[in-house]
């Protein structure tokens, strides 16, 4: 089960940079997103016919992860050409809401699809459930080429991308390799982003288990409580956070969100130390909602990939940033497991989440809101 789950995360992390490069260099966001979505749908179809094969399950999850990596990274620089820099935060926040909405809808629908769906092609109910789950992806694969355009110029409109430094003078367009070898800012971005994702995965991975262990809430109820608290607040916080970053300053908003994430993680530590006799379960859920509001403001980091660097390199730079962040996120459950085995407590797990957010906070002081190379 661990290999099946982690196959998605590792493939998603390791294919970020290649997709960003392919999109900007050759086929554009339009066809990159189409190809990635098709991979997700077809892998689900293949697995539906062979659900008993462990290796196919691992492979299918890896293909789905690689396909998912082809969505965000190409769209981020593509949208930078359609939205003026002053609206970049709100634009990214709206795009980001797709993640919690998809998680909520998919997570809620899959149990019903796998147990009560209409059988297809003589397959079992379980197999048919996976087949039904592929249908939205197949539909989107057809729709994406009809809707997405790589550049406003494709429709005779002017690009709203900004190619200026803080002095207002245009800059040359260095490539991804030059940026990575001559600037330390991509690595700063990666630290900030990893701060968000590290904190998110350290707290989220074991949260349902914490509710079950500390408060005796049954696994199904704990999972539903987690699903609600971990997704619904993000639908609000991501566009609102993006709007605030456009109005109050991007670096300032990123730092404020990371401070709030750190405080919430430390409060989880306090709650775990005090135990259920002092801290009621509803207080933990309430804290989780507040934590989710701020930790999901990771979307605020993405505009920096096209503000600090040329848009044509934004896909690859964003891919690098996301690779580092996702590898930290993928490692968090493993590290958490060892901490739980060693101590029998969730205190160090929540503390690790706070440390990640704090590292991201300190790194964010080096972020710039203009071209740096």
């Amino acid at each position: 089960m661990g290999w099946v789950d982690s196959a998605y995360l590792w493939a998603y992390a390791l294919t970020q940079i290649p997709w960003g490069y392919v999109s900007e260099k050759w086929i554009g966001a339009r066809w990159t997103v189409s190809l990635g979505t098709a991979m997700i749908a077809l892998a689900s179809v293949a697995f539906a016919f062979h659900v008993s094969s462990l290796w196919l399950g691992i492979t299918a999850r890896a293909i789905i992860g690689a396909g998912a990596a082809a969505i965000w990274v190409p769209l981020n620089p593509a949208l930078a050409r359609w939205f003026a820099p002053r609206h970049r935060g709100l634009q990214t926040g709206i795009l980001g809401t797709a993640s919690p909405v998809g998680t909520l809808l998919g997570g809620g629908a899959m149990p019903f699809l796998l147990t009560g769906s209409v059988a297809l092609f003589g397959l079992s109910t379980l197999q048919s459930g996976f087949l039904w789950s592929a249908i939205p992806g197949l539909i989107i694969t057809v729709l994406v080429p009809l809707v997405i355009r790589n550049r406003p110029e494709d429709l005779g409109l002017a690009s709203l991308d900004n190619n200026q430094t803080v002095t207002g003078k245009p800059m040359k367009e260095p490539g991804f390799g030059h940026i990575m070898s001559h600037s330390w800012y991509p690595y700063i971005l990666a630290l900030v982003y990893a701060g968000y994702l590290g904190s998110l995965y350290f707290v989220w991975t074991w949260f349902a288990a914490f509710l079950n262990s500390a408060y005796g809430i049954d696994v199904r109820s704990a999972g539903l409580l987690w699903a609600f608290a971990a997704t619904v607040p993000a639908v609000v916080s991501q566009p609102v956070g993006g709007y605030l970053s456009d109005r109050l300053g991007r670096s300032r908003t990123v730092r404020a969100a990371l401070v709030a994430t750190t405080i919430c993680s430390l409060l989880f530590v306090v709650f775990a130390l005090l135990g259920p006799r002092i801290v009621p379960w509803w207080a933990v859920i309430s804290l989780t909602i507040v934590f989710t509001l701020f930790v999901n403001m990771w979307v605020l980091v993405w505009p920096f990939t096209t503000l600090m660097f040329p848009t044509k390199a934004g896909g690859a730079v964003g891919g690098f940033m996301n690779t580092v962040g996702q590898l930290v996120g993928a490692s968090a459950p493993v590290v958490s497991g060892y901490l739980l085995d060693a101590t029998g407590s969730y205190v160090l797990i929540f503390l690790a989440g706070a440390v990640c957010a704090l590292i991201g906070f300190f790194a964010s002081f080096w972020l710039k809101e203009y071209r740096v190379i």
Side-chain angles (χ1 to χ4, degrees):
M1 285 299 297
W3 277 107
V4 173
D5 274 345
S6 63
Y8 173 93
L9 294 173
W10 288 107
Y12 181 81
L14 296 176
T15 53
Q16 297 282 320
I17 296 175
W19 279 127
Y21 189 83
V22 166
S23 175
E24 287 295 319
K25 187 73 173 178
W26 290 305
I27 62 178
R30 182 185 186 186
W31 293 111
T32 304
V33 174
S34 300
L35 180 58
T37 310
M39 289 172 60
I40 295 172
L42 293 176
S44 298
V45 170
F47 184 62
F49 284 92
H50 302 281
V51 292
S52 60
S53 172
L54 174 62
W55 288 108
L56 182 61
I58 293 172
T59 304
R61 284 287 291 173
I63 293 174
I64 290 172
I71 310 299
W72 183 282
V73 167
L75 282 179
N76 186 58
L79 288 173
R81 299 182 174 103
W82 286 87
F83 289 83
R86 66 180 181 276
H87 300 306
R88 200 69 53 79
L90 179 59
Q91 161 246 302
T92 311
I94 293 172
L95 177 63
T97 58
S99 178
V101 169
T103 300
L104 184 63
L105 294 178
M110 280 306 290
F112 295 98
L113 290 177
L114 296 178
T115 57
S117 61
V118 177
L120 298 172
F121 307 112
L123 299 175
S124 67
T125 302
L126 179 68
Q127 290 174 294
S128 298
F130 282 107
L131 204 57
W132 281 108
S133 75
I135 291 177
L138 293 171
I139 294 173
I140 293 171
T141 301
V142 175
L143 291 179
V144 164
L146 302 177
V147 176
I148 291 181
R149 294 295 180 270
N150 296 323
R151 300 170 181 271
E153 295 93 324
D154 295 343
L155 298 178
L157 302 173
S159 174
L160 295 180
D161 186 25
N162 186 21
N163 182 33
Q164 295 179 341
T165 63
V166 70
T167 63
K169 296 181 180 180
M171 290 189 71
K172 294 181 180 180
E173 298 287 316
F176 174 66
H178 179 85
I179 291 171
M180 296 302 294
S181 60
H182 289 79
S183 175
W184 67 319
Y185 285 106
Y187 306 95
I188 293 295
L189 269 181
L191 275 178
V192 176
Y193 195 62
Y196 278 104
L197 295 195
S199 182
L200 184 152
Y201 282 106
F202 269 112
V203 174
W204 272 5
T205 299
W206 293 95
F207 184 71
F210 171 67
L211 289 178
N212 174 258
S213 174
Y215 291 88
I217 299 175
D218 68 86
V219 176
R220 179 178 295 181
S221 298
L224 289 174
L225 286 170
W226 170 86
F228 174 83
T231 56
V232 174
V235 178
V236 177
S237 72
Q238 291 185 336
V240 170
Y243 177 81
L244 291 176
S245 75
D246 289 336
R247 295 295 181 270
L248 304 179
R250 305 188 193 287
S251 300
R252 183 183 303 172
T253 312
V254 165
R255 286 195 291 271
L258 283 166
V259 167
T261 300
T262 303
I263 293 172
C264 288
S265 300
L266 290 174
L267 284 174
F268 278 121
V269 173
V270 174
F271 284 6
L273 286 170
L274 294 177
R277 291 186 178 180
I278 299 177
V279 182
W281 68 268
W282 56 262
V284 180
I285 296 297
S286 299
L287 177 60
T288 306
I289 293 173
V290 177
F291 172 80
T292 302
L293 284 171
F294 290 107
V295 78
N296 273 289
M297 289 188 184
W298 53 260
V299 295
L300 304 181
V301 185
W302 281 91
F304 288 97
T305 63
T306 51
L307 292 172
M308 295 171 64
F309 309 100
T311 301
K312 73 171 188 179
V317 171
F320 169 76
M321 178 185 80
N322 208 8
T323 296
V324 174
Q326 294 296 336
L327 288 176
V328 171
S331 301
V334 179
V335 174
S336 298
Y338 283 110
L339 291 176
L340 188 59
D341 282 343
T343 65
S345 168
Y346 294 87
V347 169
L348 290 182
I349 295 175
F350 296 145
L351 184 60
V355 171
C356 288
L358 196 60
I359 291 173
F361 168 74
F362 286 120
S364 68
F365 281 93
W366 280 272
L367 295 178
K368 306 297 180 184
E369 299 184 29
Y370 52 82
R371 279 279 301 276
V372 296
I373 187 170

